[in-house]
Amino acid sequence: MMEDTLTITPLGSGQEVGRSCHLLTYETPSNPPTKCTLLLDCGIHPGHSGMNALPFLDDVPDMAAVDAVLVTHCHLDHAAGLPYLTERTGFRGRVYMTPPTRSIAGLLLGDYLKLTTTEDGNALYTEAELRACMDRVELVDFHQVIVLPCGAPGGGPGAAASAPTSIKFWALNAGHVLGAAMFMIELGGSLGASSSRHVLYTGDYSTEDDRHLSAAEVPNVRPDVLIAEATYGAQVHRSRVERETMFTGTVDRVVSGGGKCLVPVFALGRAQELLLILDEYWENNAGRLKEIPVYYASRLASRALRVYRTYINMMNARIRNAMDITSNPFAFKHIKNLKSADHGDSAESLLDEKSGPCVVFASPGMLQSGMSRKLFDRWCTDPKNGVLIAGYAIEGTLAKEIMDGTIGSEVVTMSGRRVPRNCIVDYVSFSAHVDGAQNRRFIEQVEPSHIVLVHGQKDLMGSFKAALMDGYRNLPENKRPTIRMPPNLQKVKLTFSRRRSAKVMGTLASPALLQPAVSSVDSLPIINDDEGGDNDEGAIIRRRQRPITPPPSAIPGDIPMGTEVSGILVTQNFQSRILSSDDLHAYTQLRVGSVSSKVHVPFVGQANALRLFLREMFSGVREEKIEAEAGAADEPHRQPVTKFFIHSDRVCVTLGSTPVTAIVAWESGPVADVLADAAVALLMHAQSSSAAVRMAGRPCNHHAKRARTGGGGEGDLVDNVTRLQLLHKMLRCQYESVQPDFEAGTFVIGSAHADGEEGNDTSPAGEVPATRSAICTIKIEFESEDGSKAKLTVEGDDYKMNANVRDCVKNIISTSAPFCV
């Protein structure tokens, strides 16, 4: 059996959050063997710097063999390592992302490059390399299907047709950030529709609508493998209304107390969501808050908003409707971009501790550098000020440190000074990641066979895995999906048995011959020539109990879908065809044959008994009687031949053609073999059971002869001769020829009658006519004076036949009760 192998290796975000990057390798044992290789995302770890922030790209065996990299969205932990991959490694494949992701990623990566170059002067790549990377990006819209040849990175559009196998993928809305995509990947599809495997990679995704983005889509294709984020583990978010109330309440409390409120955000993504919330809150409370300024302190502020305006058609209905009414929902009334603010508002003025209360959205979101870090270093010592963390904080970042710390604990500023952290720190999650309940519900909807959890801390991911396993505990073990949470560089290997597809060829492809399926279908021979190589004579024939339904591609357009085909399945070099037996010689060197089986069973019973047994077991038993032809004068009289046909003539039972023998004949097959076994069992049973005597014998009413004693007294005793005569009558109902000798107490069982009529025995007592063939002799010896008890002896040449006759006589005596043995 052929098996395809899918290997998934986390190069990053395995039991951690950050530097998402996963290597997918799909190997098929075709001729020649092929391998498809993909990278999913290539980000950096915000908690590390320099080369330590990159995924483990050195562990890719052959970077030049990677066919493509699919980037789900623009955030640094999923895309910031891409220029290093494309420009400083041996990667020669193609790069795909959605149009908004390319626009935003260019901005974010350029800003990241400036920050890292300023800090240590040793950036991961240059501006020229970033531009070259962006030039290599190919765009893919949601639901657009891309077919990519395997083993031919950078091949042209026609390369997929000539490649031995190909990758097919399409993007689905993920809801995490503008342009974020999930990728549904089809592997092995060029080997036949039934051989394809589907992998769904979620990236970061959200299943709830927010103020500007739609929820993630649920794919209409069930994936074999789901690679899903587990950022929040089994935790459950508060409701959106509750979170918005907490967020606006915390900001209001800080600025109303005369403090400054810092909201660290990434330049694009959650920043736009929070700006919409706060601008609406300021509008609803303008009488009290309109004098307190709100700043968006980002070098990308104006360019980011232009990108959002460009792709407003990819946002939810709320934003599109607002666009129709106000022309620009991102033209905020109460929020100023810091660079364009007037009245001396600038970054320097914000650093002045004497300035009044204000709210500042500044990047980056984890306080590791940039404007948000500068403002935090200046404001953190004042207890009136506050920091509101509104997104996920990765281990190793300052945002995570202050969330876990307490007031008064020391922090280290960018200049290296240790200062006390006296400001308020609050956390309200607006991170656009699914929580545990949402993630579990999505997984139940897509019904994967295998689940691989990534992008989560080990403890949180472990709790989510336990919750999933608990949810599947009521399913049978073979119905439960496998669940894995590999650390970085630990391979997950999955094997898939190749599902077959076949082409219908020859006369079977004629629409007139492809009739709708019937309820009774014969077995379908399968000829598998893979083990015989090119030698068709070495083919192995097996059996299939149901017809093959060809794939849609194999059925002409005028043949209805779902039509069933019954024929011979021929497989050679992993290519399968369904042929009629009449066409086998035209397409192969094979010929169709059959195996005829015949069994001779000793049988001395009557056709009447066998008929009753067969009709009790089978319906539709057909009977055919052939009268014997008259022979020469010196030839014995021949019995008529009786044939019983079972189950549409699959099995034939013949009586009379051979003395004391029944012949069972059939064409070998799974069904016919079982029927023949049953017929043999009934033949044995019909000549030995008491039921056969009751069913085949004629009604017999006998009256005991009155025997008077020598003293003249009356008695109702039955003499021994009468008992033997009664037994003789019963034996004649069961056997063809019975020659009695009542004085000796013997019965000779023969195979034929001299004159063709039962009971007209004219030979001397104890002798069998020359035309008969003696089978065995039954002897009855009475042991008691009243004849109620006797000894039974059966003698003959055939031990098995003797045993059958002995059992039959015992059953007759037990049924008629003339005496006991």
Side-chain angles (χ1 to χ4, degrees), residues 278-525:
L278 203 62
D279 192 61
E280 180 183 288
Y281 184 77
W282 244 243
E283 177 68 19
N284 294 336
N285 296 275
R288 184 169 55 85
L289 299 174
K290 67 178 181 179
E291 300 300 328
I292 299 177
V294 180
Y295 299 110
Y296 182 20
S298 171
R299 289 178 291 187
L300 304 178
S302 58
R303 285 183 291 172
L305 291 178
R306 282 200 297 270
V307 171
Y308 267 66
R309 292 164 192 161
T310 301
Y311 295 104
I312 205 155
N313 64 310
M314 301 184 72
M315 300 182 195
N316 60 22
R318 173 177 178 169
I319 291 295
R320 294 197 301 271
N321 293 337
M323 187 72 174
D324 295 336
I325 298 173
T326 65
S327 76
N328 184 7
F330 293 102
F332 301 115
K333 295 182 180 179
H334 304 280
I335 297 171
K336 304 173 185 178
N337 292 336
L338 191 59
K339 283 190 174 182
S340 64
D342 52 8
H343 304 297
D345 291 330
S346 63
E348 289 73 18
S349 65
L350 291 177
L351 294 175
D352 184 2
E353 297 180 359
K354 296 181 180 179
S355 61
C358 62
V359 181
V360 180
F361 290 82
S363 61
M366 298 187 193
L367 298 173
Q368 64 267 39
S369 59
M371 178 58 71
S372 64
R373 180 62 181 271
K374 290 179 181 179
L375 294 176
F376 175 81
D377 288 351
R378 181 62 65 92
W379 293 351
C380 69
T381 57
D382 190 340
K384 292 188 300 181
N385 297 334
V387 179
L388 183 55
I389 307 296
Y392 186 84
I394 293 176
E395 292 288 345
T397 61
L398 179 60
K400 182 65 173 177
E401 180 184 338
I402 64 174
M403 283 172 56
D404 295 339
T406 58
I407 292 179
S409 59
E410 289 187 344
V411 294
V412 180
T413 66
M414 284 196 298
S415 61
R417 294 186 304 113
R418 290 185 175 275
V419 297
R421 194 271 287 173
N422 297 322
C423 64
I424 300 169
V425 176
D426 205 351
Y427 170 68
V428 181
S429 176
F430 279 90
S431 175
H433 294 271
V434 286
D435 62 16
Q438 295 165 345
N439 207 3
R440 181 173 172 179
R441 188 159 50 248
F442 179 83
I443 291 172
E444 290 173 350
Q445 287 178 301
V446 299
E447 298 182 305
S449 300
H450 306 277
I451 302 170
V452 180
L453 301 178
V454 296
H455 200 280
Q457 296 300 327
K458 182 177 180 180
D459 54 345
L460 294 177
M461 195 181 293
S463 65
F464 182 63
K465 177 182 177 181
L468 283 178
M469 295 177 67
D470 184 64
Y472 291 120
R473 70 182 186 279
N474 293 327
L475 292 179
E477 189 170 351
N478 61 344
K479 298 293 184 181
R480 301 174 192 170
T482 63
I483 306 173
R484 296 174 173 87
M485 42 175 284
N488 288 332
L489 302 182
Q490 184 180 94
K491 291 179 170 61
V492 175
K493 283 194 174 183
L494 303 171
T495 57
F496 301 96
S497 299
R498 180 74 60 80
R499 291 176 289 196
R500 286 187 175 181
S501 62
K503 292 182 179 180
V504 180
M505 302 179 69
T507 56
L508 284 181
S510 171
L513 297 179
L514 290 173
Q515 300 298 330
V518 295
S519 57
S520 177
V521 183
D522 199 358
S523 59
L524 178 66

Side-chain angles (χ1 to χ4, degrees), residues 98-177:
T98 62
T101 297
R102 186 194 183 283
S103 299
I104 301 171
L107 298 177
L108 290 182
L109 269 59
D111 189 54
Y112 167 75
L113 181 60
K114 292 177 183 177
L115 288 173
T116 54
T117 303
T118 301
E119 289 175 358
D120 50 30
N122 187 21
L124 295 174
Y125 39 85
T126 65
E127 290 188 13
E129 289 172 329
L130 173 59
R131 288 193 298 271
C133 173
M134 291 295 107
D135 289 342
R136 292 181 61 172
V137 172
E138 300 180 51
L139 302 181
V140 54
D141 290 322
F142 291 145
H143 308 120
Q144 177 187 356
V145 178
I146 302 294
V147 180
L148 184 68
C150 287
S162 60
T165 187
S166 60
I167 303 168
K168 183 188 294 184
F169 66 88
W170 56 96
L172 303 168
N173 176 40
H176 175 68
V177 69

Side-chain angles (χ1 to χ4, degrees), residues 93-251:
R94 302 163 76 169
V95 183
Y96 291 93
M97 58 181 71
T98 62
T101 297
R102 186 194 183 283
S103 299
I104 301 171
L107 298 177
L108 290 182
L109 269 59
D111 189 54
Y112 167 75
L113 181 60
K114 292 177 183 177
L115 288 173
T116 54
T117 303
T118 301
E119 289 175 358
D120 50 30
N122 187 21
L124 295 174
Y125 39 85
T126 65
E127 290 188 13
E129 289 172 329
L130 173 59
R131 288 193 298 271
C133 173
M134 291 295 107
D135 289 342
R136 292 181 61 172
V137 172
E138 300 180 51
L139 302 181
V140 54
D141 290 322
F142 291 145
H143 308 120
Q144 177 187 356
V145 178
I146 302 294
V147 180
L148 184 68
C150 287
S162 60
T165 187
S166 60
I167 303 168
K168 183 188 294 184
F169 66 88
W170 56 96
L172 303 168
N173 176 40
H176 175 68
V177 69
L178 180 61
M182 300 186 287
F183 284 105
M184 179 67 78
I185 305 162
E186 180 183 296
L187 299 166
S190 58
L191 300 174
S194 61
S195 298
S196 63
R197 302 293 170 181
H198 292 87
V199 179
L200 176 62
Y201 175 54
T202 66
D204 294 349
Y205 76 108
S206 173
T207 58
E208 64 176 7
D209 288 325
D210 58 23
R211 287 176 176 261
H212 71 293
L213 295 177
S214 300
E217 295 181 71
V218 177
N220 56 8
V221 175
R222 178 183 176 183
D224 297 282
V225 182
L226 172 66
I227 306 175
E229 69 153 309
T231 310
Y232 283 96
Q235 296 176 0
V236 178
H237 296 325
R238 294 185 175 93
S239 69
R240 168 159 290 274
V241 174
E242 187 177 358
R243 281 180 285 154
E244 289 187 5
T245 302
M246 291 176 62
F247 172 71
T248 55
T250 300
V251 173

Side-chain angles (χ1 to χ4, degrees), residues 611-757:
R611 179 187 301 110
L612 291 172
F613 273 85
L614 289 175
R615 289 179 177 175
E616 283 291 321
M617 178 64 70
F618 304 107
S619 62
V621 176
R622 186 170 67 85
E623 183 176 345
E624 184 177 305
K625 182 170 287 190
I626 303 173
E627 296 295 336
E629 296 180 359
D634 57 344
E635 289 185 2
H637 181 79
R638 299 176 181 176
Q639 277 190 306
V641 176
T642 304
K643 294 185 177 183
F644 297 97
F645 297 92
I646 304 169
H647 205 282
S648 303
D649 297 353
R650 289 176 184 265
V651 178
C652 175
V653 181
T654 304
L655 301 179
S657 62
T658 303
V660 297
T661 302
I663 301 174
V664 183
W666 72 98
E667 295 290 329
S668 291
V671 176
D673 289 348
V674 173
L675 294 173
D677 289 343
V680 171
L682 290 176
L683 281 168
M684 304 301 294
H685 198 57
Q687 56 186 329
S688 62
S689 69
S690 58
V693 177
R694 294 189 182 96
M695 295 170 66
R698 294 189 296 270
C700 180
N701 296 322
H702 61 276
H703 300 281
K705 293 183 178 180
R706 291 181 175 271
R708 299 188 178 275
T709 63
E714 294 185 356
D716 294 328
L717 298 178
V718 180
D719 60 20
N720 291 341
V721 173
T722 303
R723 293 186 175 91
L724 293 175
Q725 290 175 345
L726 174 61
L727 177 59
H728 177 234
K729 291 181 180 180
M730 300 298 291
L731 288 173
R732 285 172 55 192
C733 293
Q734 188 70 13
Y735 296 107
E736 297 174 351
S737 174
V738 181
Q739 180 66 28
D741 185 342
F742 298 121
E743 294 182 0
T746 61
F747 301 90
V748 179
I749 306 298
S751 63
H753 295 285
D755 55 4
E757 297 181 5

